[in-house]
Amino acid sequence: MGSVGTFECLEDFNTCLQQYEEDTNTKFIVLKSDRAFGKSDLTVDKQLQWEVKIVPFNGVPFKIIGKKTYVCHQGRDKHAKAKQRRQESKVEGHEYSCLKTRRLMQTTKKMGCPATINVIHIVRFPEYKITEDNPYQKREKSSAVREALRLDPKRVRTEEMFAASFPDIKEHQNHPIDGKESRDIWNIIKKVKAGNRKSSVDHHNLQALVNAWKEEGCAIEYRPSQEEEDGTVVKMLLCLQTPWQRRLMLLYGQHMCFLDETYRAGRNSLPLFFLWVRTNVSYAAVGVFVTQTETKEVIEEALKVFQKWNSDWNPSHFMVGFCEAEIGALEEVFKGSKVLLCDFHREKAWMEWTGKKENDVTCQEKVLKLLQAIADSQTNEDFENSTVTLQQHPDWQSNEKLRRFISKWLCHAERWVKVFRNENLNVAVFTNKGVERQKEVLKHSYLKGHRNCSLSETLIVIMRDFLPRSYQKYIELNIKCSSGSRKYSGNVPCFLRDRPRIMAQHIMKRHQESLLFNARDITSPGENVFRVQSQTSQEEHLVNFGKGDEMPSCTCMDWRRHLLPCQHFCAVFTLVPGWSWENLSAAYSKNPLFTYDEVCLGHSRTLPLTSADLQGEELLKKNQENDNSPEGDGCISSPERSPSSPAAPSESTLITPSVKAGKREKCGTLLKEISDLTCRIQDGTFLDSVTDRLTNLLEDLRRHIPHDDILDLSYMPPSKKMCSSAPAEPLNTIPERCPVSGIVGDVGNPHK
């Protein structure tokens, strides 16, 4: 037991519980509660007591009205047996098999944590206090209390109290607990709040806030606007960065960063800029600065401050809206970086400009399609042809305003046309819609009710609420994707475990489609290169694993759109011994966007291995030792290639199949047809005979399953109709979320 607290009312306990959860970054749920808990009912037939484990003796008798027990939300699963019975029923076929169910990558968050909070609700009788702890006085006063309650309970003076025992943080087991860093950030917030309440300086005094944040370890550069002796005016500049923002900037900001201005954040008209990065689970603001104007020189000065604080920060790419001041400042400070234009802001600017009546665009829809065709150009020839087609349009030839507007964009074609900007991109981020959503949350949630606030008040909301809570969300999402937090399903390949959720779900879908391939579909024309036959056409796709700093690649549209392993990569992972995620080039596979942040786990406890886990480890070791064996492909995750394993086969050599994939596919097709037909049968007698024959067949299949096969044979791959390298998106369906940028819809081509 960690600590004990007493409270005068239930509201005080609930407030303390909420604060305890925030301080320890834990969550508790109700396990059980008495009906009388929280109710002032003296008629409850309970025995008078003088002390219990969490209420020491003080001479005052009391009654326990009710008890309530809270457990960690990752504690014991009280529905485990019911879930097991349901799973067994599904396996035996008793449940309706035509129902569509979800395939969860992490099946449960229950990890058996023993942490518990016990609360008791007591009613004390202070008028019957005894002076000594002896049996005689206890019997005498107990009788007096019972007699008084029998005669008239309303005349008895009482005092209600709630006593609770809170567990120590070390009592949490089997799942990660947020580390020291995240708890410190909440302590910082409390200190700032306390400092603001006690300070005699007004909240609107920006200098006082700067001093307070400096004491808490934040990096701050503040220069107020003032007039020099020679008459020149020095413009105001304020730059802010917390320690955790600095860490995320260096972790995720080496490839792509976003610079964006937030308008109308308060009644002040000063520009408020954020530096953003795309993390493995969300977008995060890693720097804030306020300037007096939006000129290139002022923005450049602010960027140099962040460059001074973070000497190792040198992004290869930046993404901005079409603001020449921002573009010029970034190119001046970061000489080797490439500045790209956001697709979202680009298309919004095109639509708004062509929609204005004064610009005299008579055929807006056609002009926008021609502009989008230029943006989607995959080769130089496509770009030149699309540009010529636009210049032949009547609106271009007759509208001088349109020619000037489009010419301005064409001058920056290398920043928004795919053929120019997609070079050396390690991640498919073509828009900053995720940043826009964060800005909307800031303005419409955190700054709601602060529309007329000053700059000081705006910064208080950002530093006290918006930034810490966004970081807390980042920590929670990273912890959730850890195998120490939630158990993974047996169908999930080993290389997809402990990966960010959206990315893992994206690749898992391609992995399921890849189960339709067989080894004859894959050949190897050279080192680190494979040819994979398409399942929907006679086309062959070239899969290149890359080497060193070289990026992996595939010729299919799915790879070019998402820059994540497609079904052709997954087919190689599954069917070719010794080839897996680890064989991808280090520049790609070690990208922090593809792993969870281990710092978020903090002082986590290692989950003890079960017998099934130990058995799986032994089977994986066996597979690694038997790379040359044709049965090595039976594992979900292909083992790493050992130094002694043979080189990749030549161009004309087919990969030897480990299983008869074609025969498995035929079996799956027949089973699917049987399942569909049984839904239409009305003859009960015939269904009974079918059930008997299928039961015998099932027993026969179980006898033929090898004992050392860890592949889940109950899994049925999707049909060929559902699998394609570039599936057409049907009408009235929810568009797919991009696994890297987090944007819903066709990334890079919203007008598809």
Side-chain angles (χ1 to χ4, degrees):
M1 184 172 64
S3 58
V4 176
T6 57
F7 312 91
E8 294 182 356
C9 61
L10 185 59
E11 289 75 15
D12 290 346
F13 164 74
N14 291 332
T15 302
C16 182
L17 176 60
Q18 182 180 0
Q19 190 65 47
Y20 175 82
E21 290 177 334
E22 290 181 359
D23 288 345
T24 59
N25 195 33
T26 54
K27 181 67 179 176
F28 286 82
I29 58 175
V30 177
L31 176 65
K32 57 184 179 180
S33 177
D34 295 341
R35 288 188 177 182
F37 183 86
K39 300 178 181 178
S40 302
D41 187 6
L42 295 179
T43 62
V44 176
D45 188 16
K46 298 287 185 178
Q47 183 180 359
L48 278 174
Q49 300 195 46
W50 297 89
E51 62 179 320
V52 291
K53 187 175 182 180
I54 59 176
V55 180
F57 175 80
N58 62 354
V60 179
F62 58 86
K63 270 189 176 184
I64 297 179
I65 302 298
K67 299 180 180 180
K68 197 170 188 178
T69 303
Y70 294 82
V71 293
C72 175
H73 75 123
Q74 292 191 276
R76 180 181 59 86
D77 189 357
K78 60 182 181 181
H79 302 296
K81 292 185 177 179
K83 293 178 181 177
Q84 184 179 359
R85 288 195 298 268
R86 178 178 173 82
Q87 189 64 30
E88 292 174 354
S89 178
K90 289 175 67 176
V91 172
E92 294 173 1
H94 294 164
E95 286 201 5
Y96 190 54
S97 61
C98 297
L99 291 176
K100 190 173 182 180
T101 58
R102 294 185 299 164
R103 292 189 181 95
L104 298 178
M105 297 188 67
Q106 292 174 282
T107 54
T108 180
K109 68 176 181 179
K110 300 297 184 180
M111 307 299 290
C113 178
T116 305
I117 296 177
N118 295 302
V119 193
I120 60 172
H121 178 195
I122 65 176
V123 175
R124 304 169 62 193
F125 305 96
E127 293 181 345
Y128 299 90
K129 184 176 181 179
I130 61 177
T131 57
E132 296 181 9
D133 185 7
N134 61 67
Y136 173 76
Q137 290 191 17
K138 287 182 178 180
R139 285 195 299 270
E140 184 179 7
K141 292 296 182 181
S142 297
S143 301
V145 172
R146 286 192 292 269
E147 182 65 19
L149 291 175
R150 186 184 65 81
L151 295 175
D152 190 359
K154 295 182 180 180
R155 297 176 63 90
V156 179
R157 188 168 71 87
T158 59
E159 294 178 354
E160 287 191 60
M161 188 180 76
F162 292 84
S165 62
F166 294 89
D168 189 84
I169 193 69
K170 296 180 181 179
E171 295 184 34
H172 288 272
Q173 297 177 11
N174 303 338
H175 65 95
I177 299 297
D178 186 16
K180 183 177 184 295
E181 181 177 358
S182 63
R183 291 199 295 273
D184 283 349
I185 193 65
W186 286 105
N187 293 333
I188 289 174
I189 299 168
K190 295 172 192 173
K191 290 179 181 178
V192 171
K193 288 182 179 179
N196 289 338
R197 286 195 296 267
K198 297 176 182 178
S199 175
S200 59
V201 183
D202 187 71
H203 287 290
H204 297 268
N205 191 323
L206 190 56
Q207 184 63 57
L209 290 174
V210 167
N211 294 336
W213 287 324
K214 276 185 178 180
E215 293 177 359
E216 303 301 337
C218 296
I220 297 182
E221 182 81 16
Y222 176 54
R223 183 188 65 208
S225 177
Q226 56 188 0
E227 185 176 354
E228 299 290 341
E229 295 180 357
D230 58 358
T232 59
V233 177
V234 178
K235 295 180 180 179
M236 191 271 286
L237 177 66
L238 175 63
C239 302
L240 298 166
Q241 191 177 45
T242 63
W244 65 263
Q245 285 180 309
R246 205 173 313 162
R247 186 178 73 85
L248 295 189
M249 172 181 277
L250 296 177
L251 181 62
Y252 298 106
Q254 302 296 351
H255 182 67
M256 175 74 76
C257 285
F258 304 84
L259 176 61
D260 197 74
E261 181 182 359
T262 301
Y263 297 94
R264 296 184 295 275
R267 74 165 181 263
N268 64 86
S269 59
L270 297 178
L272 174 62
F273 289 88
F274 284 89
L275 283 167
W276 299 84
V277 294
R278 171 74 174 107
T279 71
N280 58 347
V281 293
S282 60
Y283 284 84
V286 294
V288 184
F289 65 92
V290 182
T291 61
Q292 197 164 338
T293 59
E294 299 178 60
T295 61
K296 171 181 174 293
E297 293 74 21
V298 174
I299 298 175
E300 180 181 331
E301 184 181 6
L303 291 173
K304 287 181 178 178
V305 172
F306 286 95
Q307 192 181 49
K308 179 182 66 175
W309 290 341
N310 307 274
S311 57
D312 295 332
W313 177 49
N314 189 26
S316 60
H317 294 77
F318 274 95
M319 184 168 287
V320 297
F322 196 4
C323 176
E324 294 184 351
E326 295 177 7
I327 295 173
L330 288 169
E331 289 183 334
E332 182 65 29
V333 178
F334 302 93
K335 300 290 185 181
S337 300
K338 186 173 182 178
V339 181
L340 307 179
L341 297 181
C342 166
D343 285 348
F344 171 76
H345 286 94
R346 169 177 57 80
E347 293 166 12
K348 182 180 178 183
W350 287 352
M351 188 171 294
E352 290 178 352
W353 193 92
T354 56
K356 291 181 179 179
K357 293 183 179 180
E358 59 267 24
N359 293 324
D360 302 325
V361 179
T362 57
C363 189
Q364 181 190 16
E365 184 177 356
K366 181 62 176 178
V367 171
L368 290 176
K369 285 184 177 180
L370 293 173
L371 286 170
Q372 189 60 45
I374 296 176
D376 294 337
S377 300
Q378 298 290 344
T379 63
N380 285 316
E381 185 179 357
D382 292 342
F383 172 68
E384 293 174 0
N385 294 337
S386 300
T387 304
V388 171
T389 303
L390 173 63
Q391 292 173 348
Q392 292 174 349
H393 192 270
D395 269 353
W396 170 276
Q397 297 178 354
S398 62
N399 191 333
E400 177 65 25
K401 293 181 181 178
L402 180 64
R403 287 199 298 271
R404 288 199 305 267
F405 175 74
I406 296 179
S407 296
K408 183 177 69 172
W409 283 90
L410 290 176
C411 292
H412 295 274
E414 72 280 0
R415 308 187 193 279
W416 55 274
V417 179
K418 287 184 179 179
V419 64
F420 303 125
R421 74 174 187 180
N422 287 9
E423 300 174 355
N424 301 322
L425 272 179
N426 292 349
V427 60
V429 181
F430 306 124
T431 179
N432 64 353
K433 277 187 179 179
V435 172
E436 290 297 316
R437 284 198 293 269
Q438 294 286 343
K439 287 165 54 181
E440 291 300 313
V441 170
L442 171 63
K443 289 196 286 188
H444 299 297
S445 295
Y446 291 94
L447 291 176
K448 186 178 181 180
H450 299 271
R451 295 300 182 190
N452 296 320
C453 64
S454 64
L455 175 61
S456 301
E457 294 169 325
T458 302
L459 291 175
I460 289 174
V461 174
I462 292 172
M463 296 293 289
R464 184 192 65 191
D465 299 324
F466 176 66
L467 292 180
R469 290 181 186 175
S470 64
Y471 184 55
Q472 190 72 13
K473 186 67 175 177
Y474 166 81
I475 292 173
E476 292 173 359
L477 291 175
N478 268 278
I479 291 177
K480 284 182 179 179
C481 69
S482 165
S483 56
S485 174
R486 299 184 179 206
K487 297 178 181 178
Y488 275 87
S489 169
N491 289 329
V492 179
C494 300
F495 74 90
L496 286 182
R497 303 186 182 193
D498 294 324
R499 304 280 181 192
R501 177 69 57 83
I502 298 177
M503 169 237 181
Q505 288 176 339
H506 175 92
I507 302 178
M508 184 65 186
K509 182 178 178 181
R510 276 69 181 170
H511 171 74
Q512 293 169 357
E513 294 174 354
S514 72
L515 297 181
L516 291 176
F517 289 87
N518 57 62
R520 295 189 301 274
D521 296 328
I522 305 174
T523 60
S524 177
E527 185 181 4
N528 296 331
V529 179
F530 295 89
R531 280 201 179 102
V532 182
Q533 178 68 44
S534 173
Q535 292 289 300
T536 56
S537 66
Q538 298 301 318
E539 183 182 3
E540 281 189 338
H541 293 285
L542 197 64
V543 175
N544 186 352
F545 275 67
K547 191 174 183 181
D549 294 333
E550 179 188 1
M551 273 282 290
S553 64
C554 181
T555 54
C556 70
M557 183 59 68
D558 186 53
W559 170 269
R560 283 185 283 177
R561 182 179 300 169
H562 301 296
L563 294 182
L564 285 173
C566 55
Q567 58 176 313
H568 309 109
F569 268 105
C570 292
V572 177
F573 293 163
T574 305
L575 296 173
V576 183
W579 287 89
S580 63
W581 175 274
E582 288 72 18
N583 296 102
L584 295 168
S585 64
Y588 182 82
S589 62
K590 303 302 181 183
N591 192 322
L593 290 175
F594 300 153
T595 59
Y596 72 91
D597 189 354
E598 295 183 356
V599 174
C600 297
L601 297 182
H603 304 290
S604 60
R605 292 176 179 263
T606 304
L607 182 67
L609 292 175
T610 62
S611 57
D613 293 330
L614 295 174
Q615 184 180 3
E617 289 290 333
E618 293 176 3
L619 290 171
L620 287 175
K621 291 179 180 179
K622 287 181 180 179
N623 287 332
Q624 289 177 344
E625 294 171 358
N626 299 326
D627 277 350
N628 297 331
S629 171
E631 296 180 0
D633 295 340
C635 180
I636 296 176
S637 175
S638 300
E640 296 183 0
R641 182 168 48 183
S642 62
S644 60
S645 61
S650 61
E651 179 176 0
S652 60
T653 304
L654 292 175
I655 306 301
T656 303
S658 62
V659 294
K660 300 299 183 182
K663 294 183 179 181
R664 280 186 176 176
E665 183 182 340
K666 290 180 182 179
C667 292
T669 303
L670 292 174
L671 290 172
K672 179 69 167 61
E673 188 174 356
I674 292 173
S675 177
D676 293 338
L677 291 176
T678 54
C679 299
R680 306 178 190 177
I681 301 299
Q682 303 295 329
D683 189 345
T685 305
F686 178 71
L687 284 176
D688 290 338
S689 65
V690 171
T691 302
D692 294 337
R693 281 180 283 175
L694 288 177
T695 302
N696 295 333
L697 179 60
L698 177 62
E699 293 298 328
D700 194 20
L701 284 172
R702 286 174 176 169
R703 286 194 295 270
H704 285 77
I705 293 178
H707 295 290
D708 58 345
D709 191 354
I710 66 172
L711 178 64
D712 186 358
L713 299 180
S714 65
Y715 171 74
M716 184 175 67
S719 63
K720 276 191 176 181
K721 294 181 180 180
M722 301 300 293
C723 304
S724 64
S725 59
E729 188 171 322
L731 296 175
N732 300 326
T733 59
I734 300 175
E736 185 178 0
R737 180 184 293 274
C738 175
V740 177
S741 65
I743 306 305
V744 175
D746 189 6
V747 178
N749 187 11
H751 297 290
K752 181 179 175 183

